[in-house]
Amino acid sequence: MKLWMKNMMANRRRNIWLFIELLIVTIVTWIVVDPVVMLCGIAMSQHGYDTDRLIYMEVGVEKSETPADSVERANAFDALFTRIKSIDGVESATVVSSWMRLESGSSMPMKLNYINEAGDTVGYDVFRYPRPMDKDYFTTYGITAAKGGPSAEELSAMAMGPRDIIVNESVARKMFGDGGDYFGKETVDNGDGKSYRIVGVVDDVRPWHWRSLWRILWLDESHAECYPEYETTAFIARLNKGINPKRWVNTHSDEIYTNFKVGDFYIRSLETHSDVSENTWQSQMARNTRQLKIALLVFFLVNLALGVTGTLYLQTRKRSHDAGIMKSFGANRTNIFNSLVGESMIITIIAWLAGCLIYLNYAYWNGLSLGIDWELDDLPFDSWISNFWQHFAVVSIVVLAIMSVIVFIGAYLPARRIAKVDPVEALRND
């Protein structure tokens, strides 16, 4: 190590230029890598509910010249729902709005007021969904209830008033802190000034897999503006454990399309939850954005690798004289190779530290990347993405790993060649 440091000081002019180049590379790499790491991290994070065994069935309604009255339609709809629940392999099922379900990418915005730490009233944007009563909503989705309150089964069956709401934990913690005693607390609608009472809290749910959105509340469907009409309803079914959803759809699709018709209602679409989620336009847009950013990152890294490798190749080739002297004093090939590569890695680490400190000063005031278009409030409190220092550390490590690989490759080939040089030839040529 001492020899490495002496050689670095002896070649400090060359090393300063290399340091400046790697410093600039660190900052630019940070700018390019940060959004890609966030997009990939969000895409791979958990939904907060069990999506693996869910089946989506969209309900169709035939137009009739003599339409049935409301009671007959309700009975026919319930009969079709009962038949769906009785299909072999179905563990439970629920009713949702075909355009207002968790995975659809659509919701009804709402703003609630809460008191912040400074004592000011702040409006907090949340996204609301209808919760059907006695339809196993939370249990079918696999959403778990927060500790200390009603269970998922109880929340699914609970009779809710027009001003009762069920929220996820991030919403409760945002408005009322980390105390955990959220049940019965009230918040005010920023629009009409009326209060809402929290009757249940569930663990954090990320309904849209392309976003980090966690700010969710549920109203009873009979009191929600988004009450699902028959023409816009769908069934979500949960399969028993061990059943492959795609295979189940292929096995039962013909039977369901042909035989499952009650009154005016029938099943017109049958897909797995994953297929429905992937086929939304928001999902496709997010996937295209992620692929574009990854492609730009790859293009940048290739050019970065060529530039840094070229610089290191020229710098290391000029070290033949040093290699000759080291060999004349008894150094072997391994010593020379380790010295040349080790010096490059030390300069890389120093440049990385300096670059990260410079970017930290920028990020502290301007923030880090959070993906495409969302804000910090969208993230759960325990997310490493929303924790500034954890976020910074993760991306810094990724940047260091990228730079280390590139610099090692750039220094490896010329260092290996010089390590084999004959000392007499090296000193004569010099």
Side-chain angles (χ1 to χ4, degrees), residues 73-83 135 230 265:
R73 295 192 81 194
N75 291 337
F77 185 84
D78 289 340
L80 179 60
F81 179 62
T82 301
R83 289 193 63 186
K135 292 293 192 298
Y230 289 123
F265 301 107

Side-chain angles (χ1 to χ4, degrees), residues 65 80 84 86 170 189 199 218 220 251 290:
E65 295 181 358
L80 179 60
I84 292 297
S86 65
S170 281
D189 187 335
V199 296
W218 289 267
D220 189 77
T251 302
R290 186 167 60 248

Side-chain angles (χ1 to χ4, degrees), residues 119-191:
D120 300 322
T121 300
V122 179
Y124 183 52
D125 290 316
V126 296
F127 296 84
R128 54 181 169 171
Y129 292 91
R131 185 229 58 168
M133 182 177 173
D134 289 331
K135 292 293 192 298
D136 298 325
Y137 180 86
F138 292 106
T139 51
T140 297
Y141 266 110
I143 300 173
T144 55
K147 295 180 180 179
S151 65
E153 292 80 3
E154 292 171 331
L155 291 176
S156 297
M158 179 185 295
M160 296 173 61
R163 291 289 165 175
D164 291 340
I165 56 174
I166 298 171
V167 301
N168 66 349
E169 191 170 8
S170 281
V171 172
R173 292 174 66 180
K174 179 71 175 181
M175 293 190 295
F176 301 110
D178 297 329
D181 184 19
Y182 309 121
F183 305 100
K185 294 288 182 68
E186 292 191 353
T187 181
V188 177
D189 187 335
N190 188 273

Side-chain angles (χ1 to χ4, degrees), residues 25-42:
V25 166
T26 299
I27 297 173
V28 175
T29 303
W30 240 105
I31 296 172
V32 176
V33 168
D34 189 21
V36 175
V37 171
M38 292 305 98
L39 286 172
C40 294
I42 290 170

